[in-house]
Amino acid sequence: QVQPVESGGGLVQAGGSLRLSCAASGRTFTFRTYAVGWFRQAPGKDREFVAAISRNSVKTDYADSVKGRFTISRDSVQSTVYLQMNSLEPEDTAVYYCAAYNSRNYYYLPVRQSEYDYWGQGTQVTVSS
């Protein structure tokens, strides 16, 4: 069992950058057997998929709205997953959540929220215009 813990949110001007981190905690301190995804929820809107990385980090996927601006990655010891966010827009303002999916398939990329087993508490990102 793993508990994702997000950090790195904050207030940034439009056009700026932030890097979110998702650390593995709980009974295991590694995402080694997990695919990991980022989701976000803006005020008054449903939570939506942002990005995901497969268990072996070979495959990634992004929402169309963030392609070319956001990059998901994980560190070499598999304890932290990052979301580098560049060219931020006011529309990116949301609470960002990290989630982990215990995956037997090294290449599988879950994009539906219902697939994920463990969720973090979220971190607020606010982009001012």
Side-chain angles (χ1 to χ4, degrees):
Q1 182 174 350
V2 69
Q3 178 61 49
V5 179
E6 305 95 337
S7 63
L11 174 64
V12 64
Q13 288 189 331
S17 298
L18 279 176
R19 187 176 79 160
L20 304 183
S21 298
C22 176
S25 66
R27 291 184 62 184
T28 61
F29 291 86
T30 176
F31 286 125
R32 184 176 55 84
T33 63
Y34 294 84
V36 177
W38 284 96
F39 293 78
R40 67 186 181 184
Q41 186 168 21
K45 295 187 177 181
D46 293 334
R47 189 159 58 184
E48 63 178 4
F49 170 77
V50 176
I53 187 166
S54 61
R55 172 178 169 176
N56 61 4
S57 302
V58 170
K59 296 186 69 174
T60 58
D61 194 14
Y62 299 90
D64 288 343
S65 59
V66 306
K67 280 181 181 176
R69 300 188 298 123
F70 291 11
T71 303
I72 189 171
S73 63
R74 64 170 89 203
D75 66 2
S76 59
V77 297
Q78 304 266 35
S79 65
T80 305
V81 172
Y82 302 100
L83 185 67
Q84 178 67 43
M85 307 187 296
N86 298 328
S87 302
L88 282 162
E89 304 167 353
E91 293 74 24
D92 296 316
T93 295
V95 177
Y96 283 71
Y97 298 90
C98 176
Y101 168 76
N102 199 345
S103 179
R104 294 187 176 186
N105 184 325
Y106 283 72
Y107 295 90
Y108 185 61
L109 276 175
V111 297
R112 295 187 298 270
Q113 298 180 53
S114 59
E115 296 183 273
Y116 284 86
D117 303 301
Y118 305 103
W119 289 82
Q121 293 300 306
T123 185
Q124 175 70 46
V125 172
T126 303
V127 184
S128 63
S129 57

